[in-house]
Amino acid sequence: MLDFLSLKGKVAVVTGGAQGIGKAIAERLARNGASIVVADRQVEKATSTADEITANTGQQAIAVQVDVANSTSAKAMIDRAVAEFGRVDILVNNAGITRDGLIMRMKEEDWDLVLNINLKGAFNCSQAVIRAMMKQHYGRIVNITSVSGVSGQAGQTNYSSSKAGLIGFTKALAKEVGSRGITVNAVAPGFIETELTANLPAELKESAIKLTPMGRFGKPEDIANAVAFLVSDEASFITGEITKVDGGMII
């Protein structure tokens, strides 16, 4: 009997893994058999999530505090994962923030912060792990981008730019490391039920649902399911792909 999507013996690092989409991804990968590094700036929440994962799945999970925008911190995160588990097979670059606003009112620091975390953060973490993956001739990197990076979104020039940049980063890195048995893909969520979208105005939620053929917001588990496939052996010949999980919003 085939063990479909099994990650037994694999080690996964999930940034922004303490809550929301990141937590759902970490939980799903653990249920598929992976040991988990829950990496987040909020170490207390990350510790709580790691403990919960271990209790619910029986898989080992640890929490590591990280600032993905800082290359030294990103390297320390990977070093800790290797020290704890001996290897890193999977990196999910999920950490991200928004600082929305019209460009004529957007502060320079809000532009810089979003680009540094959403785009430079993925660079820092990928650079920190890539040498180890190349040595073992195996690796899976999944970047969480957004439909805003595919189609653009008014009031989000910083966020849309960071997520569009992440798409280019995904495709370029996939070409660099494919010969070493490493795949690099991205998942582009649409509107997903998280703490972030819970605070959106009712009229904006209604408008988003009208634009979505499936007629609803997605759930964090919908993103986690896509990631679980892309990091599995079943997806070993898929790389450089941008998988939209948006209920058909930008068909």
Side-chain angles (χ1 to χ4, degrees):
M1 181 177 176
L2 293 175
D3 197 359
F4 187 61
L5 301 186
S6 173
L7 298 176
K8 185 177 180 181
K10 305 300 185 187
V11 178
V13 175
V14 182
T15 68
Q19 58 190 343
I21 290 173
K23 181 179 180 179
I25 292 169
E27 288 177 338
R28 176 60 197 270
L29 300 189
R31 291 190 185 282
N32 286 22
S35 299
I36 304 295
V37 176
V38 180
D40 205 285
R41 293 187 70 174
Q42 303 180 76
V43 69
E44 290 184 1
K45 284 189 176 181
T47 300
S48 177
T49 294
D51 290 345
E52 187 178 329
I53 288 171
T54 298
N56 292 340
T57 69
Q59 292 298 126
Q60 188 175 358
I62 64 169
V64 176
Q65 187 171 33
V66 66
D67 175 5
V68 298
N70 182 288
S71 60
T72 300
S73 181
K75 183 178 184 303
M77 172 191 69
I78 298 300
D79 288 345
R80 172 73 191 286
V82 172
E84 190 74 28
F85 297 111
R87 58 189 291 126
V88 175
D89 301 287
I90 298 162
L91 170 66
V92 182
N93 285 311
N94 168 73
I97 63 166
T98 58
R99 291 292 187 275
D100 295 349
L102 297 175
I103 193 167
M104 60 182 145
R105 297 195 189 108
M106 185 176 290
K107 297 177 181 177
E108 184 178 356
E109 53 263 37
D110 287 339
W111 172 274
D112 290 343
L113 186 63
V114 169
L115 270 290
N116 281 338
I117 292 176
N118 296 5
L119 183 54
K120 186 182 177 185
F123 162 78
N124 285 336
C125 296
S126 299
Q127 187 179 59
V129 79
I130 205 71
R131 192 178 300 274
M133 286 184 172
M134 290 176 77
K135 284 182 179 178
Q136 65 197 26
H137 288 267
Y138 181 91
R140 300 284 185 267
I141 297 175
V142 177
N143 300 313
I144 306 302
T145 180
S146 169
V147 293
S148 294
V150 178
S151 64
Q153 182 67 36
Q156 287 191 322
T157 52
N158 51 2
Y159 185 76
S160 295
S161 295
S162 71
K163 294 301 188 177
L166 199 52
I167 290 171
F169 175 81
T170 298
K171 293 180 178 182
L173 184 56
K175 289 185 176 181
E176 280 190 28
V177 299
S179 64
R180 296 299 187 98
I182 303 167
T183 66
V184 188
N185 292 289
V187 173
F191 278 87
I192 306 297
E193 291 178 2
T194 63
E195 289 183 12
L196 183 66
T197 56
N199 296 323
L200 292 174
E203 60 271 20
L204 182 55
K205 290 182 181 181
E206 292 174 7
S207 175
I209 289 173
K210 285 180 180 179
L211 290 172
T212 304
M214 296 296 294
R216 65 173 177 87
F217 275 22
K219 299 181 182 300
E221 291 75 16
D222 293 320
I223 309 306
N225 291 339
V227 173
F229 171 67
L230 289 171
V231 302
S232 72
D233 287 343
E234 282 77 5
S236 63
F237 201 54
I238 298 173
T239 196
E241 278 299 311
I242 314 303
T243 302
K244 299 191 299 294
V245 184
D246 66 349
M249 176 179 277
I250 55 170
I251 291 173

